[in-house]
């Protein structure tokens, strides 16, 4: 269990379907978030449908705090984001999920207690709810087709939380852990193929020989060849020569 | 309708539930993606369940290309990502969704045709599928709880596609202006080599045959092969066979 204030609380405001609460719990736990709060769920609490959907993330629901009203859910929070799809008359800073979760990380590091609230499935948050938030999160969707559901909106925010907090973005791991062939090994491979292809009569006609050899040599060096690749390629050529010799 | 190659094709490989195909279409269209391909859907095609779930994103399903096998779905593609949760023995570069979609944007700007493939709900992609990809996408999830479903994985990749395309960044690539081989060309090359090496008796002993074939297939997809490379490699093998036949 993560310390209660080391991560934002995700507050589901008047959720309708238990399934969506369960799916939100799963979406959260995928990215390490365990602080859920539920405000006035339509079908009561605890919700069997939520537990059925949560498979494996039931502990998020077990630990969820239930409140009758939004003010109760937010009373210990020092900074709250409201997620909303539509532009509002309310004057508040609008963040993307990425910006918001970076901001949340900074505020939490400073000792603040952060919440992110999500509206009911059909209508979303009302202006009265949003008025209780410090800032807005709006997911940049296709203006011609915006149909993110509750758990998807939770998923994107949770994903951005993990991105904001993973110190080293997993590096474009160019074949990490794999032994790459070194220059000498590539050179041997290139020679091996050039010699056999020479014997096979591949380099022809005369005036193209040089450029054909350069192209072949260049291909080997351009490839990200592992040691295992090089061994396989040697083995293939040796087997081909045996095949020829058997003919 | 967006131009067909201005965005990556999302390829659903052997999806099981029509509902998940529909939810994937919605997830895509939320972020402006309209190129779906479906390989061997379990419950046939077109799928009523998919259309019922797609509400409003039905045109993505209408335009979806159906294929019997993965090779058919990838034949015009020049760069393919495979999404997978589990680490694999296959040697390929692993990207986060963010890195992958940035890479996709760059490649598409250079005229390449990009695909992202997603496995079936229960088991995910098989090694034989992944061997046909150039690189892997892995979503950085909570190591103690990873339960992203198909449409959620599609959602995160689509979201990162929109993020990658909404800020303009300079584009640099070593292979700019070079015609890269597409999926069909790589597939033909792989088949050509596999068949000849089979005749040559390379795949031995019996219990290693499958893994030897997957490793060889995987090597071709991992390489940044140009069209000229592929022609040279075909030419080499054809010449080797002539050499053998002359013996």
């Amino acid at each position: 269990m993560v310390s209660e204030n080391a991560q934002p609380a995700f507050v589901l405001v008047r959720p309708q379907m238990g399934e969506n609460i369960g799916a939100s719990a799963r979406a959260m736990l995928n990215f390490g978030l365990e602080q859920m709060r539920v405000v006035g769920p339509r079908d009561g609490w605890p919700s069997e449908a939520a537990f059925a959907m949560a498979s494996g993330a039931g502990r998020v629901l077990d630990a969820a705090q239930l409140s009758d009203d939004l003010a109760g859910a937010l009373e210990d929070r020092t900074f709250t984001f409201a997620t909303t799809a539509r532009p509002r008359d309310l004057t508040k800073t609008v963040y993307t999920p990425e910006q918001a979760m970076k901001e949340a990380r900074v505020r939490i590091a400073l000792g603040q207690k952060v919440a992110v609230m999500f509206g009911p499935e059909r209508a979303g948050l009302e202006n009265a709810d949003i008025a209780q938030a410090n800032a807005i999160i709006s997911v940049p969707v296709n203006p011609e087709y915006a149909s993110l559901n509750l758990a998807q909106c939770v998923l994107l925010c949770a994903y951005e939380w993990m991105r904001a907090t993973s110190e080293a973005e997993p590096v474009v791991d160019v074949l990490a852990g794999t032994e790459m062939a070194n220059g000498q090994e590539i050179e041997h491979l290139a020679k091996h193929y050039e010699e056999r292809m020479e014997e096979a009569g591949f380099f022809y006609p005369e005036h193209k020989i040089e450029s054909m050899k350069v192209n072949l040599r260049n291909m080997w060096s351009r490839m990200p060849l592992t040691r295992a690749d090089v061994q396989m390629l040697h083995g293939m050529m040796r087997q081909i020569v045996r095949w020829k010799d058997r003919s």
Side-chain angles (χ1 to χ4, degrees), chain A residues 1-222:
Chain A
M1 197 62 163
V2 189
S3 146
E4 195 183 345
N5 293 315
Q7 46 179 235
F10 276 23
V11 183
L12 308 191
V13 181
R14 301 182 302 279
Q16 302 178 309
M17 309 268 290
E19 287 80 356
N20 293 328
I21 304 173
S24 298
R26 289 174 68 163
M28 288 172 61
L29 196 53
N30 265 298
F31 298 106
L33 288 171
E34 306 190 22
Q35 311 298 324
M36 178 187 272
R37 298 180 180 193
V38 184
V39 178
R42 185 189 66 185
D43 298 338
W45 195 258
S47 158
E48 256 183 55
F51 274 93
M53 180 59 98
S55 72
R59 63 183 162 127
V60 173
L61 299 177
D62 285 329
Q65 290 179 33
L66 178 69
S67 307
D68 292 334
D69 60 12
L70 183 56
L74 299 182
E75 65 181 18
D76 67 332
R77 300 289 99 180
T78 61
F79 198 91
T80 297
F81 294 96
T83 56
T84 175
R86 294 180 305 281
R88 305 285 185 154
D89 300 334
L90 303 167
T91 305
K92 283 193 205 295
T93 310
V94 178
Y95 292 82
T96 63
E98 179 184 19
Q99 293 163 339
M101 292 302 101
K102 282 184 175 160
E103 178 78 23
R105 184 194 54 181
V106 170
R107 289 182 179 273
I108 285 171
L110 295 169
Q112 293 201 29
K113 297 174 184 175
V114 174
V116 183
M117 53 167 152
F118 301 86
E121 290 90 330
R122 209 162 280 258
L125 292 168
E126 295 173 4
N127 277 358
D129 305 317
I130 297 175
Q132 295 180 58
N134 302 87
I136 284 174
I137 298 176
S138 187
V139 181
V141 287
N142 180 357
E144 288 160 32
Y145 182 83
S147 86
L148 287 181
N149 67 30
L150 173 56
Q152 288 174 327
C153 189
V154 168
L155 182 81
L156 292 176
C157 291
Y159 166 78
E160 287 291 4
W161 169 256
M162 180 169 265
R163 289 209 327 121
T165 50
S166 50
E167 288 168 22
E169 176 92 340
V171 188
V172 174
D173 161 26
V174 183
L175 312 172
T178 308
E179 276 204 283
M180 301 306 290
N182 63 29
Q184 188 181 41
E185 288 158 339
I186 297 293
E187 182 62 22
H188 284 168
L189 178 72
K191 277 221 171 109
H192 184 187
Y193 270 69
E194 186 176 307
E195 285 169 14
R196 287 301 92 73
M197 294 317 299
E198 183 111 50
E199 284 175 45
F202 177 67
F203 299 112
Y204 178 89
E206 188 71 26
H207 69 278
K208 285 202 176 162
I209 292 179
E210 268 323 293
S211 72
M212 288 176 83
K213 285 184 176 176
V214 167
N215 286 342
L216 180 55
R217 180 65 188 83
N218 185 45
M219 186 187 74
W220 299 124
S221 283
R222 184 155 41 76

Side-chain angles (χ1 to χ4, degrees), chain A residues 179-182 185-186 188-189 192-193 220 225-239 242:
Chain A
E179 276 204 283
M180 301 306 290
N182 63 29
E185 288 158 339
I186 297 293
H188 284 168
L189 178 72
H192 184 187
Y193 270 69
W220 299 124
L225 290 168
T226 65
R227 227 159 231 189
D229 289 336
V230 168
Q231 281 161 13
M232 178 170 63
L233 287 163
H234 278 299
M236 285 167 66
M237 187 50 93
R238 280 194 295 265
Q239 185 61 30
R242 280 186 217 111

